[in-house]
Amino acid sequence: MKPAVNKTTSTEISELRITVVYDNNPYKKGLTTSWGFACVIKGAEETILFDTGGDSAVLLNNMQQLGIDPKKIDVVVLSHVHGDHIGGLDGLLKANPAVTVYFPATFPMSFKGSLTRVGIKTIEVNDPARICKGVYSTGVLGSWMKEQALMISTDRGLIVITGCAHPGIVHILQTVKEHHADPILLVMGGFHLGAMRKVQLEEIIADFRELGVEKVGPCHCTGELARQTFKLGYGSDFLDVGVGRLIEFE
């Protein structure tokens, strides 16, 4: 296990490109939408695929259409064990067996065994951990569904990427603030708020504001009412995130 994250302030990445390669929300024409989430992160020491969506063919086809070579992926980080986040892994590994796969230590032993038997390098995550310079795992959070989120330290603030936010999106952000002193520039990914009423969503947005979240890009399992409520609450700082969306910070 790499060293755990301590309370830090850092400006480690100055140029960053995040491309959503799998999502059930449309954004760029010509790409396939499907239930699940995955994004490719470039600009750190290593190129990272965060989650793999639910289907290998959809994942690899979208990556091809977006000009992303699976052989250039160095690290795969899996947020949680649900099929719409790990279902594309087999196809990705066939295209590039040289990646290192990070996943919560709570994954079934059979999952790790299926990877190590074919020579895939695996790293189990429990506590907050450094993936590479400027990129960290929150560590495994939650009770009934264990999940990790990704934290990226840029010279403009932290970017937090969630798979489904089963432990609670506000709880995840509170955990992030416990380990990093940097302001939160962007929170994106699945927020898992589809069952929330508008008054509850407005309270969550107030929590985001209190935590200093500057921009939001909810997608995947967030729910359409929640997406629209965040759009209303954040205005020009709301990012429309769907498959094919490229987010750049320079």
Side-chain angles (χ1 to χ4, degrees):
M1 177 60 60
K2 296 186 180 183
V5 182
N6 217 339
K7 185 85 170 183
T8 60
T9 302
S10 54
T11 55
E12 295 179 289
I13 300 174
S14 58
E15 295 185 8
L16 190 72
R17 292 166 58 92
I18 303 171
T19 306
V20 178
V21 295
Y22 202 113
D23 196 66
N24 39 281
N25 297 285
Y27 185 80
K28 186 174 183 179
K29 290 182 179 180
L31 300 176
T32 302
T33 57
S34 186
W35 187 260
F37 180 74
C39 66
V40 173
I41 300 150
K42 295 182 178 181
E45 286 180 325
E46 298 179 294
T47 298
I48 298 168
L49 175 64
F50 179 73
D51 282 342
T52 65
D55 181 83
S56 295
V58 173
L59 174 70
L60 294 174
N61 181 65
N62 284 343
M63 289 175 68
Q64 181 182 33
Q65 294 296 318
L66 291 163
I68 298 172
D69 185 351
K71 292 183 174 62
K72 298 294 179 65
I73 302 294
D74 301 303
V75 169
V76 176
V77 178
L78 301 175
S79 63
H80 65 295
V81 76
H82 281 167
D84 54 333
H85 294 262
I86 69 171
L89 180 62
D90 284 348
L92 188 281
L93 294 179
K94 288 176 182 176
N96 179 5
V99 298
T100 300
V101 181
Y102 287 75
F103 56 89
T106 51
F107 271 35
M109 290 183 64
S110 58
F111 177 85
K112 179 181 179 180
S114 68
L115 300 184
T116 55
R117 276 195 301 271
V118 294
I120 304 299
K121 182 179 179 182
T122 63
I123 296 179
E124 296 178 74
V125 176
N126 191 33
D127 298 322
R130 182 180 183 268
I131 306 296
C132 64
K133 183 179 180 182
V135 183
Y136 307 90
S137 165
T138 58
V140 180
L141 306 174
S143 53
W144 71 275
M145 176 51 62
K146 303 291 188 179
E147 186 170 343
Q148 64 176 332
L150 207 62
M151 304 178 288
I152 306 171
S153 181
T154 79
D155 56 6
R156 292 180 58 186
L158 285 172
I159 296 172
V160 181
I161 308 178
T162 60
C164 265
H166 287 292
I169 186 62
V170 173
H171 174 63
I172 290 172
L173 297 180
Q174 289 169 339
T175 301
V176 167
K177 295 298 287 185
E178 289 175 4
H179 294 286
H180 285 274
D182 293 346
I184 300 176
L185 171 63
L186 169 66
V187 182
M188 63 173 287
F191 292 2
H192 204 66
L193 300 174
M196 295 288 181
R197 301 189 306 275
K198 188 168 184 179
V199 63
Q200 295 171 300
L201 295 169
E202 290 170 345
E203 290 173 357
I204 289 170
I205 291 172
D207 289 336
F208 270 54
R209 291 297 192 185
E210 186 175 346
L211 288 162
V213 177
E214 182 180 338
K215 300 176 186 296
V216 295
C219 59
H220 180 38
C221 60
T222 301
E224 191 55 32
L225 175 60
R227 278 165 53 91
Q228 291 305 316
T229 305
F230 268 98
K231 184 176 182 178
L232 183 65
Y234 265 84
S236 61
D237 287 323
F238 173 89
L239 279 63
D240 181 15
V241 174
V243 64
R245 177 67 195 257
L246 170 63
I247 301 167
E248 295 182 279
F249 295 98
E250 297 181 351

